[in-house]
Amino acid sequence: LLYRYCQEREVPFRNCGKLLVATEDSQIPTIEKIRLGAAENGVTDLKIISREEARELEPEVFCVKAILSPSTGIVDSHSLMEAFKQDCETRGGTVVFNTRVIDGQVRDTGILLRLRDELSGEVSELLCRSVVNCGGLHAQKIAHSIEGVPAASIPRVYLSKGNYLTLAGRSPFRGLVYPVPEVGSLGIHSIVDLGGQTRFGPDQEAIEEIHYEVDPRRGDSFY
């Protein structure tokens, strides 16, 4: 569906495929379990392939077995979001940028939100039938600011930072290459963007406060 949408809306994409690789025999049952789980969820084109078949597709990959996902691809996410925004506005929706939720209140008539325009400082109110809180790292803060939302229903924040490193030069891979997932993470994988640049990540770094600095020394573990 997404490929068809991208074609219709002229959103750049590439159906590059993905390999999920087992690098030791002990990981083979895990990739078999992943393939079965995918099939149960309607993804029926995954195929377990041999070391030799994987090397034919990606000569620089070392593995003992792999899952091939031929329908996996990459997309220009900014262009995709812009297309979604246009669809929303065409159907009568409104997208408002630079506007912060200050606080709110659950009422019998709906959920009242107070909003502040970050450019002008103007404060306004919006009464909603329903609210979807997609505040990302700040979703809990937003939920706590709305009077009437039970505190017990708001999960605790656990910050786990994923770092990415960029590979200089030509990509060694044609498509995406993923390891067997780790606990709480997909593991450090190789992704290539539409410009042909390769990034490796994410790793896992437990942090106490939000920050976006990447320590270059983490590259040793990536390597």
Side-chain angles (χ1 to χ4, degrees), residues 136-195:
L137 291 173
H138 305 283
Q140 280 90 343
K141 182 179 178 181
I142 292 172
H144 280 296
S145 74
I146 301 174
E147 182 184 337
V149 174
S153 72
I154 304 171
R156 179 183 166 187
V157 178
Y158 295 91
L159 295 177
S160 179
K161 179 170 174 283
N163 299 279
Y164 284 86
L165 295 178
T166 300
L167 178 68
R170 179 178 167 273
S171 173
F173 306 126
R174 301 168 188 164
L176 310 180
V177 181
Y178 280 58
V180 170
E182 303 170 0
V183 176
S185 167
L186 292 179
I188 294 176
H189 49 265
S190 171
I191 55 177
V192 59
D193 62 23
L194 289 169

Side-chain angles (χ1 to χ4, degrees), residues 43-87:
V43 182
T44 57
D45 65 344
L46 299 191
K47 178 184 177 185
I48 293 183
I49 60 176
S50 67
R51 178 204 319 251
E52 293 73 25
E53 290 172 314
R55 291 292 291 272
E56 286 181 15
L57 295 170
E58 295 285 3
E60 298 296 328
V61 162
F62 167 82
C63 67
V64 292
K65 274 192 177 181
I67 290 179
L68 170 63
S69 174
S71 58
T72 296
I74 56 178
V75 65
D76 182 336
S77 58
H78 294 278
S79 297
L80 182 63
M81 293 301 106
E82 182 60 34
F84 287 161
K85 173 179 174 288
Q86 292 172 2
D87 288 350

Side-chain angles (χ1 to χ4, degrees), residues 7 10 16 33 60 124-125 138:
Q7 288 175 326
E10 298 183 346
C16 60
K33 183 178 178 181
E60 298 296 328
S124 59
E125 293 185 344
H138 305 283

Side-chain angles (χ1 to χ4, degrees), residues 7 42 59 62-63 75 93 96 103 108 111 120 134 142-143 198-199 202 208 214-215:
Q7 288 175 326
F62 167 82
C63 67
V75 65
V96 182
D103 54 34
D108 293 337
I111 302 170
S120 68
C134 297
I142 292 172
T198 295
R199 291 195 306 276
E208 297 299 322
V214 175
D215 184 349

